[in-house]
Amino acid sequence: MKPAVSRALQGAALSALCLVAPFASAKPTIQITPPTGARFLSGQRFDLRVEGKGTGPFSATLKIDGLAVPFSSGVQNSLETDGVTTAGFGGFNRRGYINIEPGVHKITATFKDATGTSTATSQFEIVDVGGAGQVKNVIIMLGDGMGLSHRTAARLVRYGSTAGQPNGYLAMDKFPGTGLVTTASLNSVITDSAPGMAGYVSGTHTQNGQEGVYPANMTNPFYYPRVEYLAEFMARQRGASLGIVSTADVEDATPAANAVHTGNRGAGQGIVDQYLDESARTGLRVLMGGGRRWFLPSSEFGSSRGSGNDYASLPADVQAAWGVGPGAIDGARNLIGDFQAAGFTYVETATELSGAGAPNKLLGLFGYGNMNVAIDKIAHRRDAGSDAGQIVEDYHAPDQPMLDEMTNTAIKVLQKNKNGFVLMVEGAHIDKQAHFMDADRSIGEVIEFDEAVAVAQKFAQTKGDTLVLVLSDHECSGFSVIGALTGGIANLENLPSDAGVTDPATQPGRQKVVGVYDSAGFPQYTIEPDGFPQTFDIDNKILIGFGGSGDRFEGWLGKPHPVIDSLLPNSIKAELAGAGYVAQPYQREESAFGFFLRGQAVGRDQAVHTGSDIPVSAYSKNEAWRDFVGVQTNTDIFFKISQAVFGPGLF
Ligand SMILES: [Zn+2]
């Protein structure tokens, strides 16, 4: 059966089929980029590539709708082809291609080696935009890893409920339009944050671990075929600005997947360099989060700069087509100084942020790696007189802003550009703490994130031209509200250790205190004026199960210390380890009294992302929010945003 074209084109999984060895094994393989299923806006820039594996010398041809398209790099009948392709492969590129004809287009390519010629075809669709858009500013509130149950848990903790009715709703709950979003990447139903985010702002499914590029066999991940991001497109078409705000290290996948093109989400130094080096093209005016380690010269404390994970000599056709410089491997670079020289005001504490006003451009780096989680920042604010023993002190970042404060300042800066802006605000630790199965910290993150959502909505309420979307890149951990504690906290604290209970015939004591169904009742937390619970350890606290669990001890009590996460400089990781912080959930101090749960996932250390759909909530003063109701894919979101901004098209 032949499915309808538009459906077929949405099937990104088909892309793998483009890798074809048609007949005898003698012929070379051939792969076309973009793969079948790709969709682009009319006028959106992307790279084309024909790649094959075989016995050189290599040659290739490329046609679109039957017309020959010249390559911008790749020497015909040569071994080295474009000079940046992995040995054994040949690669031919057409960088910075633009097509403005709405509809389906057919790519035909040949790849020839010493043994013969292979032919392949691929299809992409151009989606029309044009006419009258309703939206000038786009704010994407990205709760990383935030599934339905994270939202439910935060609502229950923050507001409680009475006789079945919530006593209040989260700001995102009150948005008029809510729908569901599928989260698959180019190569899996389970995505990581890089393609998860990139899908929303490029319309393209990218491969896990990659952002703003298609996969390729090339010598440096920064050379991979690029796809233009929403902010880049809006900057080029409209002169719009870009703001990126995160509680993570700004090098992390979600922030980077708005402005950086790389096949390696872990390429820290190259990623942060690209933020600045391509900022004229992306419109970047606000960059806030953690990650100071990448901005400090390699000689300074806490620096993670060096000679690895960087790029130099971007291919000439990339430079020409995308309007960028060659790059450099520069461990000694003072990137903060370079940002300042480019007109950015720099701040590194909450105090400095609140005094910054609304500069034209703003760089804020509030931690060496990831920022601290909300409840650890709040603990310090509640006890500001005593720094000793504070987690934020241990992280060398005692004075960190909350996400709503960062969001508020970001909007002040961005709204100075009358041509509009894209702002992405990430609540990063919803995901990271769910990975560590630290339920209380993850819920605290949703509460912090929702305060930032309220700030974004308040701005949009004063503007008829601003769209606010609450999204998540994927669900993390199979987070579920499974019940509430029975018997009280004092009882729980006094239970003997279950750590040795592994016989299936013996029920661990801590399993017996999980009140399910009727016993769960309606937990009621005491909320402080700062918006967070006085404590998560109330007598009938809600309890969370993890469907994508890693190995852990579960004691149900709040965890005194966070697990050391990977995005910190090694020097600080070593200090934390020395101070008794653990590197994996199963090593937690709760092992003294919790019961051991073996995770289902292949890695024992962390809970994993799941393939669950995530909720989207949309707000705008005008009718733009209506497009986001229903079930849609992550890349559909991009086209809906774009059509809200540029008009639904005349085709
Ligand atoms: Zn994650």
Side-chain angles (χ1 to χ4, degrees), residues 179-254:
L180 291 177
V181 183
T182 68
T183 63
S185 69
L186 180 63
N187 62 323
S188 177
V189 293
I190 311 290
T191 190
D192 74 280
S193 290
M197 180 76 233
Y200 295 137
V201 291
S202 69
T204 290
H205 291 289
T206 50
Q207 188 153 306
N208 282 0
Q210 307 188 358
E211 51 214 19
V213 295
Y214 282 109
N217 289 287
M218 301 179 94
T219 54
N220 187 305
F222 286 93
Y223 302 166
Y224 289 12
R226 293 180 171 205
V227 182
E228 192 169 37
Y229 286 121
L230 175 68
E232 296 170 326
F233 189 70
M234 282 179 62
R236 187 159 63 82
Q237 302 280 3
R238 290 267 175 91
S241 296
L242 169 63
I244 296 173
V245 174
S246 176
T247 51
D249 187 321
V250 295
E251 170 266 357
D252 205 8
T254 302

Side-chain angles (χ1 to χ4, degrees), residues 144 431 435 474 609:
D144 204 297
D431 174 76
H435 276 294
H474 50 74
H609 299 172

Side-chain angles (χ1 to χ4, degrees), residues 27 118 140 172 184 224 303 326 339 361 390 427 432 482 508 594 604 619 635:
K27 280 194 179 181
S118 296
I140 297 176
M172 57 184 128
Y224 289 12
S303 174
F339 264 88
K361 298 179 185 177
Q390 291 283 350
K432 295 178 193 301
I482 59 170
R604 70 176 309 195
Y619 173 82
T635 55

Side-chain angles (χ1 to χ4, degrees), residues 9 27 34 52 71 115 134 189 201 216 251 270 300 338 345 425 448 472 479 481 490 504 590 593 596 601:
L9 286 171
K27 280 194 179 181
F71 292 115
T115 64
Q134 315 184 61
V189 293
V201 291
E251 170 266 357
E300 289 197 22
D338 285 0
T345 295
V425 177
E448 180 188 37
S472 173
F479 196 94
V481 178
E590 287 75 24
F593 51 83
F596 186 63

Side-chain angles (χ1 to χ4, degrees), residues 380-434:
H380 185 253
R381 288 184 176 206
R382 287 179 184 172
D383 193 16
S386 90
D387 284 342
Q390 291 283 350
I391 289 163
V392 291
E393 289 286 333
D394 293 346
Y395 277 68
H396 294 263
D399 184 21
Q400 298 173 58
M402 304 302 290
L403 191 59
D404 59 333
E405 297 159 358
M406 296 159 74
T407 304
N408 192 36
T409 305
I411 291 173
K412 278 189 204 160
V413 172
L414 293 169
Q415 70 169 319
K416 293 170 81 173
N417 183 353
K418 300 302 172 208
N419 297 323
F421 64 81
V422 180
L423 170 61
M424 192 289 298
V425 177
E426 183 198 21
H429 293 285
I430 301 168
D431 174 76
K432 295 178 193 301
Q433 296 304 314

